[in-house]
């Protein structure tokens, strides 16, 4: 059994989300596209068993109950709102692994990013306190990081249009960048108001290398 506060789920939940709860924590999941998973991290008040896993397919009824009752509990079949027991629809966890890769650096997303090239796929890595985005081995964007965790991080080949869309959504916010070669990279955002939000972006296959 897991115990949660309704307001934290309501901060991000819509009917196209799945609430996943297990010993590793609680998070709302949504596939943004074929290669991008967004997760919102939900605080757990208490857990009675570390062996359970809960997958809740968020629907309108579940959202209405969250709005009426401040706290609720979950097991692997039902949600309990005071004297109301709701047998929820069981959802599915995203199949590809979402553990955090290696922390590479921290930066503040700029208000604007100057783009002078037909951007699509790019190699992304941190070197000498800069986030480097290299397009077709020719054009490079460099963004200053205020903390790097390796002199040269591992590299990942990604769709920059997806990254740029996320950057635009979170411009001026602080971002932790997790990069591990041949593994989904992660962009993590947090502030004093919103839930911790993570975007996992599956890498592309690089035929030519860098």
């Amino acid at each position: 059994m897991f115990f949660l506060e309704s307001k934290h789920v309501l901060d991000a939940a819509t009917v196209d989300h799945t609430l996943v709860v297990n010993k590793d924590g609680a998070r709302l999941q949504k596939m943004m596209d074929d290669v991008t998973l967004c997760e919102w991290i939900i605080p757990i008040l208490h857990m009675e068993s570390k062996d359970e896993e809960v997958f809740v397919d968020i629907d309108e009824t579940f959202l209405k109950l969250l709005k009426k009752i401040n706290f609720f509990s979950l097991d692997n079949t039902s949600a309990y709102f005071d004297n109301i027991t709701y047998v929820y629809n069981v959802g599915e966890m995203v199949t590809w692994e979402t553990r955090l890769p290696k922390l590479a650096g921290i930066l503040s997303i700029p208000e604007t990013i100057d783009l002078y090239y037909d951007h699509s796929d790019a190699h992304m890595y941190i070197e000498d306190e800069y986030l480097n985005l290299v397009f077709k081995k020719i054009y490079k964007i460099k963004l200053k990081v205020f903390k790097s965790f390796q002199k040269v991080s591992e590299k990942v080949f990604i769709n920059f249009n997806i990254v740029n869309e996320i950057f635009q959504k979170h411009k001026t916010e602080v971002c932790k960048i997790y990069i591990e070669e041949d593994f989904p990279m992660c962009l993590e955002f947090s502030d004093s108001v919103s839930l911790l939000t993570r975007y996992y972006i599956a890498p592309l296959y690089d035929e030519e290398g860098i």
Side-chain angles (χ1 to χ4, degrees), residues 33-120:
D33 52 51
D34 290 343
V35 298
T36 312
L37 167 69
C38 186
E39 286 190 344
W40 294 265
I41 309 304
I42 309 296
I44 295 179
L45 296 176
H46 178 69
M47 66 174 72
E48 291 185 345
S49 172
K50 294 186 177 181
D51 297 326
E52 278 188 298
E53 282 195 306
V54 170
F55 306 94
V56 181
D57 189 9
I58 302 293
D59 58 21
E60 292 288 355
T61 301
F62 196 89
L63 287 174
K64 288 178 182 178
L65 289 168
L66 289 173
K67 292 174 182 177
K68 291 181 179 180
I69 311 295
N70 292 332
F71 302 92
F72 69 101
S73 58
L74 290 167
D75 58 26
N76 55 13
T77 62
S78 303
Y80 305 93
F81 299 85
D82 286 347
N83 60 341
I84 300 171
T85 298
Y86 179 60
V87 180
Y88 58 78
N89 295 318
V90 177
E92 294 183 358
M93 189 174 185
V94 172
T95 53
W96 43 278
E97 189 174 5
T98 59
R99 69 164 174 84
L100 283 174
K102 297 175 183 176
L103 179 58
I106 304 173
L107 78 157
S108 178
I109 305 300
E111 184 76 30
T112 60
I113 300 176
D114 294 326
L115 304 176
Y116 301 110
Y117 202 72
D118 180 17
H119 297 320
S120 179

Side-chain angles (χ1 to χ4, degrees), residues 4-19:
L4 296 91
E5 193 169 358
S6 299
K7 69 176 184 180
H8 294 308
V9 181
L10 283 170
D11 281 344
T14 66
V15 293
D16 56 354
H17 291 163
T18 299
L19 176 60

